Amino acid sequence: MSGLRRGFATYTVRVAQFQAAQADTVIAPSLLAADFARLAEAAAAVEGAVDWLHVDVMDNHFVPNLTLGPPIVKSLKAATGIPLDCHLMIEDPARWAVGYAELGAYNVTFHAEAADDPVALAKDLRTAGAKAGLAIDRDTAVEDYLDLLPEFDTLLIMTIKAGFGGQQFIPAMLDKVRTARAHASGGHLELRIEVDGGIADDTIAAAAEAGADAFVAGTAVYGADDPADAARRLRARADAARSPH
């Protein structure tokens, strides 16, 4: 077999493996909607029904709210085997982000609007053992960051304004999801596209159809009587919407 043909065969296998992996829907309940006094119980309540736990880190500077930080992530890591998806809504992520990776976070996502050198920080996160994620807030154009996506594992697109839970889903934000998915597919990028904000039974299908494959849901999961059942229901809706018709 010629070198060109071998290279093409290897590439084809790699793309097929990636497509198979991306067929999996990721459900990531947001602990922002859980009882902060019972976070270990909140994690246990969705064990086996979800893929990640979404940890919203807010610093009262980048966004006007103050929430979880490194000590909580350290405790959660010891309390649950569910991978932690840390979303840093903070100023100066270059100062703090790697610390979350070192604490064992599976995925660390920081905001494009707060980062001076997103690519360098992504490399630092990967070196520290975490997946690297880039977040785009409501008023930020995704087109400005498409060329950076090969350096990231996750693109998180806010479908609300970052900073508060319980907001209403903004359908217009799905245009960003479509743009990013088309770019990722065209470049055969190994990229999760995550949506965050107002994801619930009546919105998750539209987000999935637009090209998202990872879904943050707060109130829809932890506001339910049975959080695990709520998560399974969300997965079923997303899977149905993502399946070829």
Side-chain angles (χ1 to χ4, degrees):
M1 183 184 292
S2 69
L4 178 61
R5 187 176 296 275
R6 279 197 304 272
F8 178 76
T10 300
Y11 168 78
T12 302
V13 170
R14 195 161 55 236
V15 169
Q17 290 172 338
F18 163 64
Q19 289 173 337
Q22 294 302 95
D24 296 332
T25 295
V26 168
I27 301 296
S30 173
L31 291 173
L32 187 64
D35 183 343
F36 280 9
R38 298 181 172 183
L39 292 182
E41 293 175 37
V46 294
E47 186 83 40
V50 306
D51 306 280
W52 302 345
L53 282 176
H54 191 76
V55 182
D56 287 300
V57 178
M58 306 182 192
D59 65 355
N60 199 32
H61 295 288
F62 180 72
V63 292
N65 206 344
L66 186 65
T67 57
L68 310 175
I72 299 297
V73 171
K74 182 178 180 180
S75 295
L76 280 169
K77 180 64 179 173
T80 182
I82 304 173
L84 301 180
D85 177 36
C86 293
H87 175 195
L88 309 187
M89 288 169 272
I90 64 174
E91 289 183 349
D92 196 12
R95 180 180 178 185
W96 302 105
V98 171
Y100 288 88
E102 292 172 344
L103 287 171
Y106 172 78
N107 189 60
V108 179
T109 297
F110 58 89
H111 270 264
E113 303 87 359
D116 293 329
D117 191 340
V119 171
L121 183 49
K123 290 178 178 177
D124 289 343
L125 286 169
R126 285 172 161 178
T127 298
K131 301 287 188 181
L134 184 70
I136 304 291
D137 203 359
R138 181 193 64 188
D139 300 325
T140 299
V142 72
E143 289 83 359
D144 295 341
Y145 297 94
L146 294 177
D147 289 345
L148 304 186
L149 295 184
E151 307 298 330
F152 288 88
D153 303 289
T154 305
L155 174 67
L156 187 156
I157 294 176
M158 297 300 301
T159 43
I160 57 170
K161 176 65 178 172
F164 296 92
Q167 297 181 59
Q168 187 172 359
F169 178 80
I170 304 172
M173 296 297 102
L174 295 183
D175 286 341
K176 296 182 187 180
V177 176
R178 295 184 188 97
T179 297
R181 178 54 70 199
H183 184 82
S185 297
H188 304 290
L189 302 183
E190 297 186 20
L191 183 75
R192 284 280 182 194
I193 297 182
E194 186 174 13
V195 285
D196 182 0
I199 298 299
D201 285 342
D202 59 346
T203 58
I204 193 168
E209 289 170 354
D213 56 15
F215 306 89
V216 178
T219 304
V221 173
Y222 284 118
D225 292 336
D226 185 337
D229 182 66
R232 292 188 190 100
R233 189 170 61 246
L234 289 171
R235 185 188 304 281
R237 290 178 183 271
D239 283 345
R242 296 183 64 218
S243 297
H245 298 292

